[in-house]
């Protein structure tokens, strides 16, 4: 197989490695477009996850995909952060086109190994930086590239994680621990560093950073708090109550994310059992989480630009918010609309975009579907131009995240390597 050979006579054959929330989201697009793609295989150790994918073939491990003749044209790797390196490198050597979930890996050395490996193999490779593919991003970039803002000077970018999303994923969930997953900035916000570079066309050259785990600590537990929400006398007054987060969602929307992380069942009794016995029912102040709940970055970009980035847990769960400052105008964006003030005319123009939801359950503002669409198109045509998030560009955002973590831990300004 080669990314330079188009597939003109049949749908693209895709295998999925890792059938969690992200993997199943991408698989849903494939199954909804049978004229363009087929989900021929799924590899996941969990029988229920394999069944949910609905692929033609099922494996409990990815290794059968590299044994013998290739059974697919492309593979989506959507395993947990620390389980990307081995399958990605093996699949690249086997000649598969690959779409890999971000972050690529939790360390700089492993990230470089992946990028070097896929480039050496010469396969089509894309990273799931879904924010690059949203209609909203297209609008922001169109405004920036039009020149209406004049010379770009600075960017101010906010990621409002959402109080309940943080409690679910980063206090109780798989991304709560750096040693088991990766630093918060890498796991959640390499998207954002990538996005800043993409819309400005500039590279992050230097970075300083501050932040930490301020609130979700044992000493901040409310007086009288129990080990589990189901046993807690003060649960009703706690914004991070597992009962508040999961039970109403199940009743109102059924088995959707984030409930699907807690239980495979649609029965409320089963959900309560999972909360009584599993990690999602633990007090948010008494867990083993250690990732930051707030972090700020100050960045020097190429071309003399500056940028700031804030990631904070204590917000509503909503779209990113951005201000771009230029010599002749400025832009304010909230994920659904872009307001532009042209200093030449003093005219204010509002551009709106049809944006879907802001989180993983709602398609990341259309980015999830557009990403898979672009990847399948690239595989089918043999033209990698449709991929906006290839290995070299993705490496840049990862290196910026690693540099920011070094800066945060050492209180220094760090230079981001070019490569």
């Amino acid at each position: 197989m080669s990314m330079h050979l188009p597939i003109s006579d049949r749908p693209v054959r895709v295998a999925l490695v890792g059938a969690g929330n992200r993997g199943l989201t991408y698989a849903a697009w494939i199954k909804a477009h049978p004229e363009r793609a087929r989900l021929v295989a799924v590899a996941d150790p969990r029988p229920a996850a394999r069944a949910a994918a609905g692929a033609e073939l099922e494996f409990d491990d990815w290794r059968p995909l590299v044994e013998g003749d290739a059974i697919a044209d492309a593979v989506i790797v959507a395993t947990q952060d620390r389980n990307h390196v081995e399958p990605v490198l093996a699949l690249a050597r086997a000649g598969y086109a690959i779409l890999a979930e971000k972050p690529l890996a939790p360390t700089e050395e492993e990230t470089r190994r992946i990028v070097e490996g896929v480039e050496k193999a010469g396969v089509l490779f894309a990273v799931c930086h879904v924010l690059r593919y949203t209609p909203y991003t297209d609008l922001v970039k169109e405004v920036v590239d039009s020149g209406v803002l004049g010379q770009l000077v600075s960017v101010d970018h906010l990621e409002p994680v959402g109080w309940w999303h943080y409690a679910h994923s980063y206090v109780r969930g798989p991304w709560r621990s750096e040693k088991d997953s990766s630093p918060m900035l890498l796991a959640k916000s390499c998207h954002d560093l990538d996005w800043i570079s993409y819309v400005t066309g500039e590279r992050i050259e230097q970075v300083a950073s501050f932040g930490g785990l301020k609130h979700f600590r044992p000493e901040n537990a409310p007086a009288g708090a129990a080990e589990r929400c189901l046993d807690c006398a003060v649960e009703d007054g706690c914004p991070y109550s597992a009962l508040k987060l999961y039970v109403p969602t199940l009743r109102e929307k059924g088995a959707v994310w984030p409930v699907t992380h807690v239980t495979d069942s649609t029965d409320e009794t089963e959900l309560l059992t999972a909360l009584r016995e599993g990690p999602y029912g633990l007090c948010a102040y008494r867990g083993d989480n250690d990732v930051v709940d707030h972090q700020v970055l100050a960045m020097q970009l190429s071309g003399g630009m500056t940028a700031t980035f804030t990631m904070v847990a204590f917000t509503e769960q909503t779209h990113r918010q951005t201000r771009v400052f230029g010599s002749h105008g400025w832009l304010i964006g909230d994920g659904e609309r872009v307001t532009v003030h042209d200093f030449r005319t003093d005219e204010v123009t509002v551009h709106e975009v049809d944006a879907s939801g802001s989180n993983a359950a709602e398609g990341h503002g259309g980015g999830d579907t557009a990403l898979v669409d672009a990847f399948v198109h690239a595989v089918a045509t043999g033209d990698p131009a449709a991929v906006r998030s290839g290995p070299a560009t993705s490496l840049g955002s990862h290196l910026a995240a690693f540099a920011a973590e070094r800066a945060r831990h050492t209180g220094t300004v760090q230079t981001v390597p070019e490569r």
Side-chain angles (χ1 to χ4, degrees):
M1 289 178 292
S2 168
M3 68 180 181
H4 304 296
L5 297 177
I7 300 167
S8 57
D9 59 344
R10 58 173 173 77
V12 174
R13 301 170 301 166
V14 182
L16 173 65
V17 175
N21 175 267
R22 304 307 301 142
L24 292 179
T25 295
Y26 304 137
W29 184 95
I30 293 167
K31 291 188 288 185
H33 296 82
E35 74 286 358
R36 294 185 56 195
R38 285 171 48 207
L39 189 65
V40 297
V42 59
D44 194 293
R46 302 163 298 167
R50 297 196 299 270
E56 297 169 22
L57 299 172
E58 294 185 8
F59 305 103
D60 61 7
D61 185 81
W62 58 266
R63 289 171 179 81
L65 298 175
V66 298
E67 297 169 355
D69 295 335
I71 63 173
D73 306 299
V75 181
I76 299 173
V77 178
T79 56
Q80 286 294 317
D81 302 349
R82 291 188 173 271
N83 299 323
H84 288 174
V85 178
E86 188 180 3
V88 167
L89 292 179
L91 291 162
R93 289 192 296 267
Y96 288 105
I98 300 170
L99 175 63
E101 188 52 79
K102 64 85 196 168
L104 286 176
T107 69
E108 184 171 330
E109 185 273 332
E110 290 173 308
T111 302
R112 289 183 182 278
R113 280 180 58 200
I114 287 179
V115 171
E116 291 167 4
V118 298
E119 289 182 338
K120 181 178 180 181
V123 296
L124 177 70
F125 185 77
V127 183
C128 297
H129 289 300
V130 295
L131 297 186
R132 282 193 179 225
Y133 296 84
T134 67
Y136 168 75
T137 296
D138 290 343
L139 174 58
V140 172
K141 190 157 178 58
E142 180 182 343
V143 170
V144 169
D145 291 348
S146 74
V148 68
L149 303 181
Q151 186 179 39
L152 297 186
V153 177
S154 192
V155 175
D156 177 30
H157 185 66
L158 167 70
E159 179 173 12
V161 178
W163 85 93
W164 64 264
H165 185 189
Y166 185 89
H168 169 73
S169 295
Y170 305 99
V171 175
R172 297 174 172 123
W175 298 277
R176 65 185 181 271
S177 165
E178 286 195 16
K179 67 179 179 60
D180 294 331
S181 177
S182 58
M184 179 74 178
L185 184 68
L186 191 67
K188 188 73 173 74
S189 303
C190 66
H191 268 329
D192 298 273
L193 303 185
D194 175 80
W195 190 87
I196 290 170
S197 289
Y198 179 63
V199 299
T200 63
E202 304 291 352
R203 189 181 76 83
I204 301 171
E205 295 183 335
Q206 290 184 296
V207 59
S209 182
F210 303 92
L213 178 60
K214 181 173 178 63
H215 185 66
F216 294 100
R217 308 168 68 92
E219 60 267 28
N220 292 326
E227 292 292 326
R228 288 188 173 273
C229 295
L230 269 68
D231 304 320
C232 186
V234 297
E235 168 271 327
D236 187 57
C238 178
Y240 308 106
S241 160
L243 290 170
K244 288 181 180 177
L245 173 53
Y246 303 112
V247 175
T249 300
L250 181 67
R251 290 175 179 173
E252 297 168 13
K253 300 180 181 180
V256 299
W257 182 86
V259 174
T260 49
H261 275 189
V262 182
T263 177
D264 295 326
S265 175
T266 59
D267 183 78
E268 188 172 320
T269 301
E270 292 294 325
L271 172 61
L272 293 175
T273 298
L275 294 180
R276 184 168 296 283
E277 298 175 355
Y280 291 99
L282 289 169
C283 174
Y285 298 95
R286 301 182 186 279
D288 59 354
N289 56 296
D290 62 13
V291 297
V292 302
D293 55 18
H294 66 121
Q295 188 166 358
V296 297
L297 277 65
M299 294 167 278
Q300 178 75 53
L301 276 59
S302 57
M305 284 189 67
T306 57
T308 60
F309 170 65
T310 299
M311 182 285 300
V312 63
F314 309 103
T315 67
E316 62 178 316
Q317 209 291 308
T318 188
H319 296 283
R320 273 84 166 175
Q321 298 163 26
T322 308
R323 294 183 292 181
V324 180
F325 305 92
S327 61
H328 288 57
W330 77 318
L331 173 158
I332 304 173
D334 65 1
E336 297 179 357
R337 66 192 57 81
V338 171
T339 302
V340 180
H341 187 168
D342 187 335
F343 301 159
R344 302 172 186 87
T345 63
D346 204 24
E347 182 180 3
V348 176
T349 306
V350 179
H351 308 268
E352 300 215 12
V353 67
D354 183 17
S356 56
S358 61
N359 62 40
E362 300 168 335
H364 285 119
D368 290 351
T369 56
L371 166 69
V372 186
D373 187 334
F375 177 69
V376 168
H377 175 78
V379 176
T381 62
D383 181 7
V387 171
R388 302 179 182 181
S389 51
T393 53
S394 187
L395 178 63
S397 62
H398 283 67
L399 293 180
F402 292 126
E405 282 299 277
R406 290 195 296 273
R408 182 173 71 88
H409 286 293
T410 61
T412 59
V413 176
Q414 290 284 316
T415 297
V416 181
E418 287 193 37
R419 178 71 184 189

